[in-house]
């Protein structure tokens, strides 16, 4: 899952970005409102974490523009503004959550997980496809009760497929959710991770089919 951090405090942005990457997310960071609006329009983000005090546009204006074009991406406002009026305004403009700085990293990551699940239309932590189980709260994958050892990118590919089990996921869409814009990506990177994932799901896990010219499909057992 890919997350956009919109924050002009470089130190805070590094901390938040680093923590989310360690948790297995692909993360992009921008420090301006204009860049945030441009990227959110172009990329398949699962969550936007938005500061209010940006150097060009206010966070409220960024949020307004995102919602005005019909985007339903979950948005968490992350700010030091504690006035009730600001919280009410942010939520009324379409924010899904509002977290005050300073914050506890564990609480922040729990809120991120909840918003990502909500955005995927699957609010429960555990996803299943046949005998395969993925607990997003602990990043644990089991197959017939056996824990699978998946690397970060393999887990990201799995999440992209299992949340849409029975549906074709375009290759470009999957790549956009797995890699950040500043990460070097080999042309065959997605094929490589899908191949590794298939091997780890053998012999009794769900099949991942390549739909030539379209993408990948995890068969809903």
């Amino acid at each position: 899952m890919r997350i956009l951090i919109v924050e002009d405090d470089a130190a805070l942005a590094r901390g938040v970005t680093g923590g989310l990457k360690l948790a297995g997310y692909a993360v992009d960071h921008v420090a301006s409102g204009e860049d945030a609006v441009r990227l959110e329009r172009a990329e398949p983000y699962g969550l936007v974490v938005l500061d209010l005090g940006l150097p060009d546009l206010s966070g409220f204006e960024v949020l307004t523009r995102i919602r005005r074009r019909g985007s339903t991406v979950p948005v968490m406002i992350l700010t030091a503004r504690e006035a009730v009026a600001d919280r009410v305004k942010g939520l009324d403009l379409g924010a899904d959550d509002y977290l005050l700085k300073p914050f506890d990293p564990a609480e922040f990551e729990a809120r991120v997980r909840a918003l990502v699940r909500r955005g995927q239309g699957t609010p429960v932590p555990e996803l299943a496809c046949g005998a395969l189980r993925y607990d997003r709260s602990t990043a644990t994958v089991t197959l017939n009760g056996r824990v699978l050892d998946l690397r970060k990118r393999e887990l990201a590919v799995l999440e992209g497929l299992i949340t849409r089990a029975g549906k074709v996921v375009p290759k470009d869409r999957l790549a956009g959710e797995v890699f950040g814009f500043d990460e070097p990506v080999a042309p065959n990177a997605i094929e490589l991770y899908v191949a590794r994932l298939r091997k780890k799901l053998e012999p009794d896990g769900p099949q991942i089919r390549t739909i030539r010219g379209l993408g990948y499909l995890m068969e809903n057992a």
Side-chain angles (χ1 to χ4, degrees):
M1 183 51 61
R2 193 166 170 189
I3 296 174
L4 176 62
I5 306 296
V6 189
E7 172 61 67
D8 65 334
D9 182 326
L12 177 60
R14 280 195 302 272
V16 169
T17 299
L20 290 175
K21 285 183 176 181
L22 284 174
Y25 297 99
V27 185
D28 297 331
H29 166 241
V30 295
S32 77
E34 292 287 0
D35 285 342
V37 172
R38 175 180 56 81
L39 272 180
E40 192 282 326
R41 182 184 301 117
E43 303 294 339
Y45 291 109
L47 175 65
V48 175
V49 178
L50 178 63
D51 183 30
L52 293 181
L54 300 171
D56 50 356
L57 303 177
S58 74
F60 289 137
E61 178 61 22
V62 173
L63 179 58
T64 297
R65 293 190 187 186
I66 288 174
R67 293 300 185 231
R68 184 182 296 149
R69 74 174 191 84
S71 173
T72 58
V73 62
V75 175
M76 178 198 294
I77 291 176
L78 192 63
T79 182
R81 297 188 190 179
E82 60 182 12
V84 172
D86 285 327
R87 279 179 273 173
V88 170
K89 182 176 182 179
L91 295 169
D92 281 347
L93 286 175
D96 299 273
D97 199 359
Y98 195 108
L99 184 61
L100 291 175
K101 306 172 186 176
F103 54 87
D104 182 277
E107 179 186 2
F108 170 70
E109 290 189 20
R111 288 174 181 250
V112 166
R113 291 193 296 269
L115 289 173
V116 167
R117 292 196 302 265
R118 188 186 307 168
Q120 292 173 330
T122 52
V124 295
E126 185 176 273
L127 298 174
C129 184
L132 183 67
R133 299 285 186 275
Y134 172 38
D135 187 335
R136 291 179 288 182
S137 64
T138 60
T140 302
V141 180
T142 59
L143 181 59
N144 284 326
R146 173 174 54 92
V147 177
L148 300 184
D149 181 18
L150 299 185
R151 301 198 173 191
K152 182 174 68 172
R153 297 302 183 204
E154 295 165 355
L155 189 63
V157 170
L158 173 69
E159 182 167 6
L161 294 173
I162 196 172
T163 54
R164 306 176 181 94
K167 299 178 181 178
V168 176
V169 183
K171 177 183 171 183
D172 289 346
R173 174 82 186 192
L174 196 57
E177 294 178 352
V178 171
F179 301 103
F181 67 75
D182 60 345
E183 295 177 283
V185 183
N188 66 336
I190 288 296
E191 288 94 333
L192 176 63
Y193 288 118
V194 168
R196 290 179 180 175
L197 187 57
R198 281 177 174 144
K199 188 172 183 179
K200 292 184 178 182
L201 293 178
E202 292 177 347
D204 48 355
Q207 298 294 308
I208 300 174
R209 293 173 52 203
T210 299
I211 310 300
R212 196 168 300 279
L214 294 176
Y216 299 97
L217 181 147
M218 178 174 283
E219 293 189 336
N220 205 345

